[in-house]
Amino acid sequence: MAPTTKSGKLKRLVAVQRHMERMAESDLAETARQRVGVGQSMDVVMDAIGSLDAVHRLFAQTYADRFDRLSSAEKQLGALQRVQEMKVLREGAKADRLEENMKTAALAEQRELEDEAIYDLVDMRFATPASSKVR
């Protein structure tokens, strides 16, 4: 059954938004792992380029091309990581705002229930009987 109160609906939205935030964090972590892998590959290629071994000197141009491709990939991953960091911050801010709205709505609903209870007590205290048989 779906929640019918405003705070119940907002609570569900907060849960969905927190899940979106966790998904964005997961994407960001994956991008960071990829950047680390690319960085390690770049280190290996640089070691091969700087090696004095005759086999590596034969493939110096191939290593240079590989390093260029890895450098481009690292730049792309860096830009993607910055975008994902902003997305994580944005999703977190949305979730925080929804949570504040949920708390405000819950307080308003509680206040409304308390007011209704007081009105019911006043009505019961000062209500006139519909007939003389009610006493």
Side-chain angles (χ1 to χ4, degrees):
M1 178 174 235
T4 56
T5 62
K6 183 176 181 179
S7 64
K9 292 175 184 176
L10 286 171
K11 183 177 181 180
R12 185 161 187 244
L13 283 174
V14 167
V16 169
Q17 193 61 42
R18 290 292 180 199
H19 183 72
M20 296 287 289
E21 182 181 14
R22 285 191 302 274
M23 287 173 47
E25 288 171 349
S26 176
D27 291 343
L28 177 61
E30 178 59 31
T31 300
R33 277 191 294 276
Q34 288 177 358
R35 278 189 82 183
V36 168
V38 168
Q40 290 172 345
S41 295
M42 288 173 70
D43 291 341
V44 168
V45 170
M46 284 305 294
D47 289 342
I49 289 174
S51 175
L52 297 176
D53 191 2
V55 173
H56 290 300
R57 278 188 263 148
L58 292 173
F59 295 106
Q61 184 60 41
T62 304
Y63 292 153
D65 293 341
R66 171 84 173 136
F67 186 82
D68 188 44
R69 286 191 304 273
L70 287 171
S71 179
S72 295
E74 202 279 328
K75 287 177 187 175
Q76 289 174 346
L77 288 172
L80 179 62
Q81 186 173 2
R82 284 189 293 281
V83 168
Q84 288 174 338
E85 287 169 351
M86 289 187 297
K87 184 177 180 180
V88 166
L89 293 174
R90 191 173 51 247
E91 297 295 338
K94 285 179 188 178
D96 292 342
R97 269 195 314 273
L98 282 170
E99 193 167 4
E100 286 299 318
N101 290 339
M102 178 194 69
K103 289 176 183 177
T104 302
L107 287 174
E109 290 166 2
Q110 181 64 33
R111 202 169 320 129
E112 185 179 336
L113 288 174
E114 291 170 356
D115 289 349
E116 288 297 321
I118 290 173
Y119 290 145
D120 289 344
L121 285 174
V122 169
D123 286 346
M124 287 174 28
R125 174 70 175 106
F126 295 108
T128 57
S131 70
S132 59
K133 296 179 184 179
V134 172
R135 295 182 189 245

